[in-house]
Amino acid sequence: MRKNIVAGNWKMNKNLQEGLTLAKELDAALKGKTLNCDVVIGTPFIHLASVATAIDLSKIGVAAQNCADKVSGAYTGEVSAEMVASTGAKYVILGHSERRAYYHETPEILKEKVLLALANGLTPIFCIGEVLSEREAGKHFEVVKSQIEASLFNLSAEDFGKIVLAYEPVWAIGTGKTATAAQAQEMHAFIRKTLAGKYGETVANDTSILYGGSANASNAKELFSNPDVDGGLIGGASLGVDKFLPIIEAF
Ligand code: 13P
């Protein structure tokens, strides 16, 4: 059964003390509440271990925002999937458009990262999405399909079943220009159809597909009410409990 998930992506924000404070505030705010979605926070690497020990992990999952495409060894500055898992994190955000654009992560590199994440028991939250010029040229479906094919369609159906997808149209990220609920639904339905074509209806129906890009407390309810939108990957609005909690409660 697919899950509803609201995941925060803190990106490169919050020092360790600020991050711990935010995580503890969220933990306190969720205490005693019955939620209709899983909650995840994607912190910088250095926060992972401290955050994982400071919160109730049965209520809030912890995600890294990246991991290395190599197992271990002489890769100065990199952090392996095994290291991420050893902190208590259960998720890793992979293929974010910022990593693709600024750090030149190719579909082939991402394929390796996905395999290593899975081998270490992490759930990849795999991001896909077109840039504005691709949407304007009517190529958005094709772009998203090829991103999925190039990095994920090597997986067995069993392994694909462990993936969470996040559709993040690049033109909506951090711009305040959210995709309309109809645009999100249209793409999510297309993604599910693409998955069904490769892995069958059951796998497609069981895959959580999140929306990301200027999602906030005012538009979350409408976005999440779509049959194929199973939650959100939230950037800016995950940086304060006052903004993040209403998104969680939109379910
Ligand atoms: P914003 O919510 O700040 O637009 O960021 C979305 C995002 O990139 C989440 O990964």
PDB file of all heavy atoms in Angstrom, residues 3-8 10 23 26-27 30 33-42 55-63 90-91 125 232 234 238 244-245 247-249 251:
ATOM      1  N   LYS A   3       2.035   5.040   0.758  1.00  0.00           N
ATOM      2  CA  LYS A   3       1.901   5.863   1.954  1.00  0.00           C
ATOM      3  C   LYS A   3       1.814   7.323   1.573  1.00  0.00           C
ATOM      4  O   LYS A   3       2.418   7.746   0.578  1.00  0.00           O
ATOM      5  CB  LYS A   3       3.148   5.711   2.815  1.00  0.00           C
ATOM      6  CG  LYS A   3       3.322   4.364   3.434  1.00  0.00           C
ATOM      7  CD  LYS A   3       4.632   4.393   4.206  1.00  0.00           C
ATOM      8  CE  LYS A   3       4.903   3.061   4.858  1.00  0.00           C
ATOM      9  NZ  LYS A   3       6.267   3.006   5.377  1.00  0.00           N
ATOM     10  N   ASN A   4       1.137   8.080   2.390  1.00  0.00           N
ATOM     11  CA  ASN A   4       1.230   9.532   2.301  1.00  0.00           C
ATOM     12  C   ASN A   4       2.464   9.958   3.084  1.00  0.00           C
ATOM     13  O   ASN A   4       2.687   9.493   4.200  1.00  0.00           O
ATOM     14  CB  ASN A   4       0.004  10.189   2.937  1.00  0.00           C
ATOM     15  CG  ASN A   4      -1.268   9.886   2.170  1.00  0.00           C
ATOM     16  OD1 ASN A   4      -1.234   9.740   0.947  1.00  0.00           O
ATOM     17  ND2 ASN A   4      -2.381   9.777   2.864  1.00  0.00           N
ATOM     18  N   ILE A   5       3.240  10.837   2.490  1.00  0.00           N
ATOM     19  CA  ILE A   5       4.490  11.272   3.133  1.00  0.00           C
ATOM     20  C   ILE A   5       4.631  12.788   2.990  1.00  0.00           C
ATOM     21  O   ILE A   5       4.464  13.324   1.890  1.00  0.00           O
ATOM     22  CB  ILE A   5       5.718  10.609   2.468  1.00  0.00           C
ATOM     23  CG1 ILE A   5       5.605   9.075   2.510  1.00  0.00           C
ATOM     24  CG2 ILE A   5       7.020  11.071   3.134  1.00  0.00           C
ATOM     25  CD1 ILE A   5       6.664   8.347   1.688  1.00  0.00           C
ATOM     26  N   VAL A   6       4.935  13.448   4.088  1.00  0.00           N
ATOM     27  CA  VAL A   6       5.345  14.857   4.003  1.00  0.00           C
ATOM     28  C   VAL A   6       6.800  14.908   4.450  1.00  0.00           C
ATOM     29  O   VAL A   6       7.124  14.558   5.594  1.00  0.00           O
ATOM     30  CB  VAL A   6       4.453  15.772   4.861  1.00  0.00           C
ATOM     31  CG1 VAL A   6       5.021  17.189   4.894  1.00  0.00           C
ATOM     32  CG2 VAL A   6       3.035  15.804   4.292  1.00  0.00           C
ATOM     33  N   ALA A   7       7.674  15.275   3.528  1.00  0.00           N
ATOM     34  CA  ALA A   7       9.114  15.278   3.799  1.00  0.00           C
ATOM     35  C   ALA A   7       9.653  16.693   3.674  1.00  0.00           C
ATOM     36  O   ALA A   7       9.355  17.392   2.705  1.00  0.00           O
ATOM     37  CB  ALA A   7       9.830  14.346   2.815  1.00  0.00           C
ATOM     38  N   GLY A   8      10.441  17.082   4.637  1.00  0.00           N
ATOM     39  CA  GLY A   8      11.101  18.383   4.564  1.00  0.00           C
ATOM     40  C   GLY A   8      12.498  18.224   3.987  1.00  0.00           C
ATOM     41  O   GLY A   8      13.171  17.235   4.264  1.00  0.00           O
ATOM     42  N   TRP A  10      15.663  20.440   4.152  1.00  0.00           N
ATOM     43  CA  TRP A  10      16.210  21.676   4.722  1.00  0.00           C
ATOM     44  C   TRP A  10      17.250  22.331   3.813  1.00  0.00           C
ATOM     45  O   TRP A  10      17.638  23.470   4.029  1.00  0.00           O
ATOM     46  CB  TRP A  10      16.855  21.392   6.091  1.00  0.00           C
ATOM     47  CG  TRP A  10      15.910  21.002   7.180  1.00  0.00           C
ATOM     48  CD1 TRP A  10      14.538  20.868   7.093  1.00  0.00           C
ATOM     49  CD2 TRP A  10      16.243  20.685   8.542  1.00  0.00           C
ATOM     50  NE1 TRP A  10      14.021  20.486   8.311  1.00  0.00           N
ATOM     51  CE2 TRP A  10      15.040  20.365   9.218  1.00  0.00           C
ATOM     52  CE3 TRP A  10      17.442  20.634   9.261  1.00  0.00           C
ATOM     53  CZ2 TRP A  10      15.015  20.009  10.569  1.00  0.00           C
ATOM     54  CZ3 TRP A  10      17.418  20.271  10.603  1.00  0.00           C
ATOM     55  CH2 TRP A  10      16.214  19.966  11.247  1.00  0.00           C
ATOM     56  N   ALA A  23      14.314  20.259  14.959  1.00  0.00           N
ATOM     57  CA  ALA A  23      13.893  18.857  15.007  1.00  0.00           C
ATOM     58  C   ALA A  23      13.156  18.563  16.318  1.00  0.00           C
ATOM     59  O   ALA A  23      12.120  17.884  16.324  1.00  0.00           O
ATOM     60  CB  ALA A  23      15.108  17.941  14.860  1.00  0.00           C
ATOM     61  N   LEU A  26       9.689  20.116  16.306  1.00  0.00           N
ATOM     62  CA  LEU A  26       8.751  19.342  15.485  1.00  0.00           C
ATOM     63  C   LEU A  26       8.328  18.078  16.235  1.00  0.00           C
ATOM     64  O   LEU A  26       7.143  17.720  16.267  1.00  0.00           O
ATOM     65  CB  LEU A  26       9.405  18.984  14.142  1.00  0.00           C
ATOM     66  CG  LEU A  26       8.523  18.200  13.176  1.00  0.00           C
ATOM     67  CD1 LEU A  26       7.333  19.052  12.719  1.00  0.00           C
ATOM     68  CD2 LEU A  26       9.311  17.728  11.951  1.00  0.00           C
ATOM     69  N   ASP A  27       9.300  17.426  16.852  1.00  0.00           N
ATOM     70  CA  ASP A  27       9.024  16.224  17.639  1.00  0.00           C
ATOM     71  C   ASP A  27       7.985  16.532  18.725  1.00  0.00           C
ATOM     72  O   ASP A  27       7.020  15.787  18.903  1.00  0.00           O
ATOM     73  CB  ASP A  27      10.352  15.755  18.259  1.00  0.00           C
ATOM     74  CG  ASP A  27      10.222  14.422  18.964  1.00  0.00           C
ATOM     75  OD1 ASP A  27       9.890  13.439  18.287  1.00  0.00           O
ATOM     76  OD2 ASP A  27      10.444  14.378  20.189  1.00  0.00           O
ATOM     77  N   LEU A  30       4.468  17.105  17.369  1.00  0.00           N
ATOM     78  CA  LEU A  30       3.762  15.921  16.859  1.00  0.00           C
ATOM     79  C   LEU A  30       3.373  14.935  17.957  1.00  0.00           C
ATOM     80  O   LEU A  30       2.606  14.005  17.708  1.00  0.00           O
ATOM     81  CB  LEU A  30       4.629  15.192  15.815  1.00  0.00           C
ATOM     82  CG  LEU A  30       4.957  15.974  14.540  1.00  0.00           C
ATOM     83  CD1 LEU A  30       5.781  15.131  13.584  1.00  0.00           C
ATOM     84  CD2 LEU A  30       3.685  16.454  13.845  1.00  0.00           C
ATOM     85  N   LYS A  33      -0.140  13.313  18.664  1.00  0.00           N
ATOM     86  CA  LYS A  33      -1.029  13.546  17.513  1.00  0.00           C
ATOM     87  C   LYS A  33      -1.138  12.276  16.670  1.00  0.00           C
ATOM     88  O   LYS A  33      -0.152  11.563  16.499  1.00  0.00           O
ATOM     89  CB  LYS A  33      -0.450  14.649  16.627  1.00  0.00           C
ATOM     90  CG  LYS A  33      -0.700  16.046  17.115  1.00  0.00           C
ATOM     91  CD  LYS A  33      -0.473  17.010  15.952  1.00  0.00           C
ATOM     92  CE  LYS A  33      -0.985  18.391  16.132  1.00  0.00           C
ATOM     93  NZ  LYS A  33      -0.795  19.129  17.313  1.00  0.00           N
ATOM     94  N   THR A  34      -2.323  12.029  16.141  1.00  0.00           N
ATOM     95  CA  THR A  34      -2.479  10.944  15.172  1.00  0.00           C
ATOM     96  C   THR A  34      -2.373  11.557  13.792  1.00  0.00           C
ATOM     97  O   THR A  34      -3.120  12.480  13.454  1.00  0.00           O
ATOM     98  CB  THR A  34      -3.863  10.275  15.337  1.00  0.00           C
ATOM     99  OG1 THR A  34      -3.996   9.935  16.720  1.00  0.00           O
ATOM    100  CG2 THR A  34      -3.973   9.033  14.492  1.00  0.00           C
ATOM    101  N   LEU A  35      -1.428  11.076  13.022  1.00  0.00           N
ATOM    102  CA  LEU A  35      -1.181  11.677  11.717  1.00  0.00           C
ATOM    103  C   LEU A  35      -1.675  10.768  10.601  1.00  0.00           C
ATOM    104  O   LEU A  35      -1.675   9.539  10.748  1.00  0.00           O
ATOM    105  CB  LEU A  35       0.320  11.924  11.536  1.00  0.00           C
ATOM    106  CG  LEU A  35       0.997  12.761  12.613  1.00  0.00           C
ATOM    107  CD1 LEU A  35       2.504  12.824  12.378  1.00  0.00           C
ATOM    108  CD2 LEU A  35       0.403  14.175  12.626  1.00  0.00           C
ATOM    109  N   ASN A  36      -2.049  11.378   9.490  1.00  0.00           N
ATOM    110  CA  ASN A  36      -2.475  10.603   8.325  1.00  0.00           C
ATOM    111  C   ASN A  36      -1.375  10.519   7.280  1.00  0.00           C
ATOM    112  O   ASN A  36      -1.632  10.243   6.119  1.00  0.00           O
ATOM    113  CB  ASN A  36      -3.732  11.221   7.724  1.00  0.00           C
ATOM    114  CG  ASN A  36      -4.885  11.134   8.695  1.00  0.00           C
ATOM    115  OD1 ASN A  36      -5.089  10.101   9.333  1.00  0.00           O
ATOM    116  ND2 ASN A  36      -5.618  12.226   8.848  1.00  0.00           N
ATOM    117  N   CYS A  37      -0.147  10.800   7.707  1.00  0.00           N
ATOM    118  CA  CYS A  37       0.989  10.689   6.781  1.00  0.00           C
ATOM    119  C   CYS A  37       2.253  10.390   7.574  1.00  0.00           C
ATOM    120  O   CYS A  37       2.305  10.637   8.774  1.00  0.00           O
ATOM    121  CB  CYS A  37       1.174  11.984   5.991  1.00  0.00           C
ATOM    122  SG  CYS A  37       1.584  13.402   7.016  1.00  0.00           S
ATOM    123  N   ASP A  38       3.243   9.855   6.874  1.00  0.00           N
ATOM    124  CA  ASP A  38       4.571   9.725   7.470  1.00  0.00           C
ATOM    125  C   ASP A  38       5.265  11.088   7.357  1.00  0.00           C
ATOM    126  O   ASP A  38       5.044  11.817   6.393  1.00  0.00           O
ATOM    127  CB  ASP A  38       5.396   8.677   6.718  1.00  0.00           C
ATOM    128  CG  ASP A  38       4.912   7.258   7.013  1.00  0.00           C
ATOM    129  OD1 ASP A  38       3.938   7.114   7.771  1.00  0.00           O
ATOM    130  OD2 ASP A  38       5.512   6.305   6.471  1.00  0.00           O
ATOM    131  N   VAL A  39       6.101  11.376   8.325  1.00  0.00           N
ATOM    132  CA  VAL A  39       6.829  12.651   8.327  1.00  0.00           C
ATOM    133  C   VAL A  39       8.322  12.355   8.252  1.00  0.00           C
ATOM    134  O   VAL A  39       8.818  11.459   8.942  1.00  0.00           O
ATOM    135  CB  VAL A  39       6.506  13.458   9.609  1.00  0.00           C
ATOM    136  CG1 VAL A  39       7.324  14.749   9.662  1.00  0.00           C
ATOM    137  CG2 VAL A  39       5.018  13.766   9.681  1.00  0.00           C
ATOM    138  N   VAL A  40       9.013  13.087   7.387  1.00  0.00           N
ATOM    139  CA  VAL A  40      10.457  12.895   7.208  1.00  0.00           C
ATOM    140  C   VAL A  40      11.109  14.275   7.224  1.00  0.00           C
ATOM    141  O   VAL A  40      10.534  15.242   6.716  1.00  0.00           O
ATOM    142  CB  VAL A  40      10.741  12.204   5.844  1.00  0.00           C
ATOM    143  CG1 VAL A  40      12.241  12.081   5.597  1.00  0.00           C
ATOM    144  CG2 VAL A  40      10.077  10.829   5.777  1.00  0.00           C
ATOM    145  N   ILE A  41      12.306  14.371   7.818  1.00  0.00           N
ATOM    146  CA  ILE A  41      13.074  15.605   7.674  1.00  0.00           C
ATOM    147  C   ILE A  41      14.433  15.300   7.050  1.00  0.00           C
ATOM    148  O   ILE A  41      15.138  14.387   7.480  1.00  0.00           O
ATOM    149  CB  ILE A  41      13.240  16.384   9.014  1.00  0.00           C
ATOM    150  CG1 ILE A  41      13.699  15.482  10.152  1.00  0.00           C
ATOM    151  CG2 ILE A  41      11.927  17.075   9.394  1.00  0.00           C
ATOM    152  CD1 ILE A  41      13.899  16.229  11.483  1.00  0.00           C
ATOM    153  N   GLY A  42      14.759  16.042   6.019  1.00  0.00           N
ATOM    154  CA  GLY A  42      16.022  15.872   5.296  1.00  0.00           C
ATOM    155  C   GLY A  42      16.996  16.938   5.748  1.00  0.00           C
ATOM    156  O   GLY A  42      16.869  18.110   5.396  1.00  0.00           O
ATOM    157  N   ILE A  55      15.049  12.746  18.519  1.00  0.00           N
ATOM    158  CA  ILE A  55      13.617  12.713  18.202  1.00  0.00           C
ATOM    159  C   ILE A  55      13.083  11.285  18.269  1.00  0.00           C
ATOM    160  O   ILE A  55      13.850  10.330  18.307  1.00  0.00           O
ATOM    161  CB  ILE A  55      13.337  13.290  16.786  1.00  0.00           C
ATOM    162  CG1 ILE A  55      14.089  12.486  15.720  1.00  0.00           C
ATOM    163  CG2 ILE A  55      13.708  14.768  16.731  1.00  0.00           C
ATOM    164  CD1 ILE A  55      13.778  12.888  14.309  1.00  0.00           C
ATOM    165  N   ASP A  56      11.762  11.170  18.238  1.00  0.00           N
ATOM    166  CA  ASP A  56      11.117   9.863  18.216  1.00  0.00           C
ATOM    167  C   ASP A  56      11.088   9.373  16.764  1.00  0.00           C
ATOM    168  O   ASP A  56      10.280   9.836  15.953  1.00  0.00           O
ATOM    169  CB  ASP A  56       9.689  10.024  18.770  1.00  0.00           C
ATOM    170  CG  ASP A  56       8.912   8.721  18.730  1.00  0.00           C
ATOM    171  OD1 ASP A  56       9.461   7.709  18.234  1.00  0.00           O
ATOM    172  OD2 ASP A  56       7.754   8.727  19.182  1.00  0.00           O
ATOM    173  N   LEU A  57      11.981   8.429  16.467  1.00  0.00           N
ATOM    174  CA  LEU A  57      12.124   7.983  15.078  1.00  0.00           C
ATOM    175  C   LEU A  57      10.928   7.172  14.588  1.00  0.00           C
ATOM    176  O   LEU A  57      10.793   6.919  13.398  1.00  0.00           O
ATOM    177  CB  LEU A  57      13.416   7.174  14.904  1.00  0.00           C
ATOM    178  CG  LEU A  57      14.722   7.981  14.996  1.00  0.00           C
ATOM    179  CD1 LEU A  57      15.930   7.049  14.941  1.00  0.00           C
ATOM    180  CD2 LEU A  57      14.818   9.020  13.892  1.00  0.00           C
ATOM    181  N   SER A  58      10.060   6.788  15.525  1.00  0.00           N
ATOM    182  CA  SER A  58       8.863   6.091  15.062  1.00  0.00           C
ATOM    183  C   SER A  58       7.839   7.105  14.534  1.00  0.00           C
ATOM    184  O   SER A  58       6.876   6.758  13.877  1.00  0.00           O
ATOM    185  CB  SER A  58       8.253   5.261  16.193  1.00  0.00           C
ATOM    186  OG  SER A  58       7.700   6.111  17.171  1.00  0.00           O
ATOM    187  N   LYS A  59       8.077   8.368  14.822  1.00  0.00           N
ATOM    188  CA  LYS A  59       7.151   9.421  14.401  1.00  0.00           C
ATOM    189  C   LYS A  59       7.725  10.255  13.238  1.00  0.00           C
ATOM    190  O   LYS A  59       7.001  10.725  12.366  1.00  0.00           O
ATOM    191  CB  LYS A  59       6.898  10.353  15.592  1.00  0.00           C
ATOM    192  CG  LYS A  59       5.626  11.125  15.504  1.00  0.00           C
ATOM    193  CD  LYS A  59       4.648  10.672  16.560  1.00  0.00           C
ATOM    194  CE  LYS A  59       3.222  10.955  16.138  1.00  0.00           C
ATOM    195  NZ  LYS A  59       2.273  10.698  17.187  1.00  0.00           N
ATOM    196  N   ILE A  60       9.044  10.456  13.286  1.00  0.00           N
ATOM    197  CA  ILE A  60       9.692  11.281  12.256  1.00  0.00           C
ATOM    198  C   ILE A  60      10.875  10.506  11.690  1.00  0.00           C
ATOM    199  O   ILE A  60      11.766  10.098  12.437  1.00  0.00           O
ATOM    200  CB  ILE A  60      10.226  12.611  12.845  1.00  0.00           C
ATOM    201  CG1 ILE A  60       9.130  13.376  13.583  1.00  0.00           C
ATOM    202  CG2 ILE A  60      10.838  13.483  11.745  1.00  0.00           C
ATOM    203  CD1 ILE A  60       9.637  14.612  14.321  1.00  0.00           C
ATOM    204  N   GLY A  61      10.870  10.302  10.380  1.00  0.00           N
ATOM    205  CA  GLY A  61      12.021   9.671   9.732  1.00  0.00           C
ATOM    206  C   GLY A  61      13.056  10.730   9.407  1.00  0.00           C
ATOM    207  O   GLY A  61      12.728  11.899   9.205  1.00  0.00           O
ATOM    208  N   VAL A  62      14.312  10.300   9.344  1.00  0.00           N
ATOM    209  CA  VAL A  62      15.384  11.236   9.025  1.00  0.00           C
ATOM    210  C   VAL A  62      15.962  10.870   7.659  1.00  0.00           C
ATOM    211  O   VAL A  62      16.154   9.689   7.353  1.00  0.00           O
ATOM    212  CB  VAL A  62      16.471  11.200  10.125  1.00  0.00           C
ATOM    213  CG1 VAL A  62      17.619  12.143   9.783  1.00  0.00           C
ATOM    214  CG2 VAL A  62      15.872  11.580  11.473  1.00  0.00           C
ATOM    215  N   ALA A  63      16.219  11.895   6.856  1.00  0.00           N
ATOM    216  CA  ALA A  63      16.770  11.693   5.512  1.00  0.00           C
ATOM    217  C   ALA A  63      18.052  12.487   5.337  1.00  0.00           C
ATOM    218  O   ALA A  63      18.153  13.628   5.802  1.00  0.00           O
ATOM    219  CB  ALA A  63      15.768  12.153   4.444  1.00  0.00           C
ATOM    220  N   LYS A  90      16.843   6.869   7.679  1.00  0.00           N
ATOM    221  CA  LYS A  90      16.215   5.774   6.935  1.00  0.00           C
ATOM    222  C   LYS A  90      15.973   6.139   5.466  1.00  0.00           C
ATOM    223  O   LYS A  90      15.567   5.296   4.681  1.00  0.00           O
ATOM    224  CB  LYS A  90      14.867   5.408   7.575  1.00  0.00           C
ATOM    225  CG  LYS A  90      14.998   4.769   8.965  1.00  0.00           C
ATOM    226  CD  LYS A  90      15.242   3.263   8.866  1.00  0.00           C
ATOM    227  CE  LYS A  90      15.317   2.574  10.201  1.00  0.00           C
ATOM    228  NZ  LYS A  90      16.676   2.525  10.766  1.00  0.00           N
ATOM    229  N   TYR A  91      16.182   7.401   5.154  1.00  0.00           N
ATOM    230  CA  TYR A  91      15.893   7.882   3.796  1.00  0.00           C
ATOM    231  C   TYR A  91      17.092   8.644   3.242  1.00  0.00           C
ATOM    232  O   TYR A  91      17.905   9.162   3.996  1.00  0.00           O
ATOM    233  CB  TYR A  91      14.718   8.874   3.809  1.00  0.00           C
ATOM    234  CG  TYR A  91      13.399   8.328   4.277  1.00  0.00           C
ATOM    235  CD1 TYR A  91      13.097   8.229   5.640  1.00  0.00           C
ATOM    236  CD2 TYR A  91      12.426   7.936   3.358  1.00  0.00           C
ATOM    237  CE1 TYR A  91      11.866   7.743   6.080  1.00  0.00           C
ATOM    238  CE2 TYR A  91      11.188   7.454   3.792  1.00  0.00           C
ATOM    239  CZ  TYR A  91      10.917   7.362   5.138  1.00  0.00           C
ATOM    240  OH  TYR A  91       9.695   6.889   5.563  1.00  0.00           O
ATOM    241  N   ILE A 125      14.428   8.869  -1.860  1.00  0.00           N
ATOM    242  CA  ILE A 125      13.364   9.779  -2.315  1.00  0.00           C
ATOM    243  C   ILE A 125      13.946  10.391  -3.581  1.00  0.00           C
ATOM    244  O   ILE A 125      14.815  11.260  -3.528  1.00  0.00           O
ATOM    245  CB  ILE A 125      13.040  10.860  -1.257  1.00  0.00           C
ATOM    246  CG1 ILE A 125      12.578  10.204   0.055  1.00  0.00           C
ATOM    247  CG2 ILE A 125      11.980  11.834  -1.795  1.00  0.00           C
ATOM    248  CD1 ILE A 125      12.322  11.194   1.201  1.00  0.00           C
ATOM    249  N   GLY A 232       4.255  15.564  -0.093  1.00  0.00           N
ATOM    250  CA  GLY A 232       5.086  16.660  -0.586  1.00  0.00           C
ATOM    251  C   GLY A 232       6.523  16.552  -0.131  1.00  0.00           C
ATOM    252  O   GLY A 232       6.829  15.952   0.903  1.00  0.00           O
ATOM    253  N   ILE A 234       9.144  19.305   0.779  1.00  0.00           N
ATOM    254  CA  ILE A 234       8.954  20.706   1.115  1.00  0.00           C
ATOM    255  C   ILE A 234      10.291  21.364   1.436  1.00  0.00           C
ATOM    256  O   ILE A 234      11.001  20.894   2.338  1.00  0.00           O
ATOM    257  CB  ILE A 234       8.031  20.840   2.372  1.00  0.00           C
ATOM    258  CG1 ILE A 234       6.827  19.878   2.300  1.00  0.00           C
ATOM    259  CG2 ILE A 234       7.603  22.279   2.570  1.00  0.00           C
ATOM    260  CD1 ILE A 234       5.866  20.114   1.169  1.00  0.00           C
ATOM    261  N   SER A 238       9.646  23.994   5.223  1.00  0.00           N
ATOM    262  CA  SER A 238       9.969  22.970   6.235  1.00  0.00           C
ATOM    263  C   SER A 238      10.916  23.527   7.292  1.00  0.00           C
ATOM    264  O   SER A 238      11.304  22.822   8.216  1.00  0.00           O
ATOM    265  CB  SER A 238      10.601  21.731   5.580  1.00  0.00           C
ATOM    266  OG  SER A 238      11.915  22.000   5.126  1.00  0.00           O
ATOM    267  N   PHE A 244       5.577  24.135   8.705  1.00  0.00           N
ATOM    268  CA  PHE A 244       5.631  22.726   8.303  1.00  0.00           C
ATOM    269  C   PHE A 244       4.456  21.926   8.872  1.00  0.00           C
ATOM    270  O   PHE A 244       3.869  21.088   8.179  1.00  0.00           O
ATOM    271  CB  PHE A 244       6.974  22.133   8.753  1.00  0.00           C
ATOM    272  CG  PHE A 244       7.342  20.820   8.118  1.00  0.00           C
ATOM    273  CD1 PHE A 244       7.234  20.619   6.739  1.00  0.00           C
ATOM    274  CD2 PHE A 244       7.838  19.763   8.884  1.00  0.00           C
ATOM    275  CE1 PHE A 244       7.596  19.410   6.141  1.00  0.00           C
ATOM    276  CE2 PHE A 244       8.205  18.546   8.303  1.00  0.00           C
ATOM    277  CZ  PHE A 244       8.083  18.373   6.936  1.00  0.00           C
ATOM    278  N   LEU A 245       4.108  22.198  10.118  1.00  0.00           N
ATOM    279  CA  LEU A 245       3.036  21.434  10.766  1.00  0.00           C
ATOM    280  C   LEU A 245       1.698  21.517  10.001  1.00  0.00           C
ATOM    281  O   LEU A 245       1.047  20.486   9.790  1.00  0.00           O
ATOM    282  CB  LEU A 245       2.877  21.893  12.221  1.00  0.00           C
ATOM    283  CG  LEU A 245       1.904  21.088  13.081  1.00  0.00           C
ATOM    284  CD1 LEU A 245       2.322  19.621  13.186  1.00  0.00           C
ATOM    285  CD2 LEU A 245       1.791  21.702  14.484  1.00  0.00           C
ATOM    286  N   ILE A 247       1.248  21.769   6.927  1.00  0.00           N
ATOM    287  CA  ILE A 247       1.355  20.946   5.704  1.00  0.00           C
ATOM    288  C   ILE A 247       1.149  19.473   6.070  1.00  0.00           C
ATOM    289  O   ILE A 247       0.442  18.748   5.395  1.00  0.00           O
ATOM    290  CB  ILE A 247       2.717  21.166   5.012  1.00  0.00           C
ATOM    291  CG1 ILE A 247       2.893  22.655   4.677  1.00  0.00           C
ATOM    292  CG2 ILE A 247       2.833  20.294   3.769  1.00  0.00           C
ATOM    293  CD1 ILE A 247       4.235  23.007   4.047  1.00  0.00           C
ATOM    294  N   ILE A 248       1.756  19.066   7.193  1.00  0.00           N
ATOM    295  CA  ILE A 248       1.573  17.692   7.672  1.00  0.00           C
ATOM    296  C   ILE A 248       0.084  17.452   7.964  1.00  0.00           C
ATOM    297  O   ILE A 248      -0.477  16.417   7.635  1.00  0.00           O
ATOM    298  CB  ILE A 248       2.410  17.472   8.964  1.00  0.00           C
ATOM    299  CG1 ILE A 248       3.899  17.570   8.634  1.00  0.00           C
ATOM    300  CG2 ILE A 248       2.072  16.149   9.633  1.00  0.00           C
ATOM    301  CD1 ILE A 248       4.810  17.694   9.855  1.00  0.00           C
ATOM    302  N   GLU A 249      -0.521  18.473   8.560  1.00  0.00           N
ATOM    303  CA  GLU A 249      -1.928  18.333   8.956  1.00  0.00           C
ATOM    304  C   GLU A 249      -2.890  18.529   7.795  1.00  0.00           C
ATOM    305  O   GLU A 249      -4.095  18.351   7.949  1.00  0.00           O
ATOM    306  CB  GLU A 249      -2.232  19.289  10.112  1.00  0.00           C
ATOM    307  CG  GLU A 249      -1.493  18.823  11.373  1.00  0.00           C
ATOM    308  CD  GLU A 249      -1.780  19.649  12.607  1.00  0.00           C
ATOM    309  OE1 GLU A 249      -1.996  20.880  12.462  1.00  0.00           O
ATOM    310  OE2 GLU A 249      -1.778  19.069  13.713  1.00  0.00           O
ATOM    311  N   PHE A 251      -3.104  16.544   5.529  1.00  0.00           N
ATOM    312  CA  PHE A 251      -3.625  15.173   5.294  1.00  0.00           C
ATOM    313  C   PHE A 251      -4.638  14.808   6.362  1.00  0.00           C
ATOM    314  O   PHE A 251      -4.354  14.868   7.535  1.00  0.00           O
ATOM    315  CB  PHE A 251      -2.492  14.142   5.318  1.00  0.00           C
ATOM    316  CG  PHE A 251      -1.880  13.925   3.961  1.00  0.00           C
ATOM    317  CD1 PHE A 251      -0.568  14.256   3.738  1.00  0.00           C
ATOM    318  CD2 PHE A 251      -2.641  13.414   2.934  1.00  0.00           C
ATOM    319  CE1 PHE A 251       0.013  14.048   2.474  1.00  0.00           C
ATOM    320  CE2 PHE A 251      -2.081  13.197   1.658  1.00  0.00           C
ATOM    321  CZ  PHE A 251      -0.755  13.527   1.439  1.00  0.00           C
TER     322      PHE A 251
END
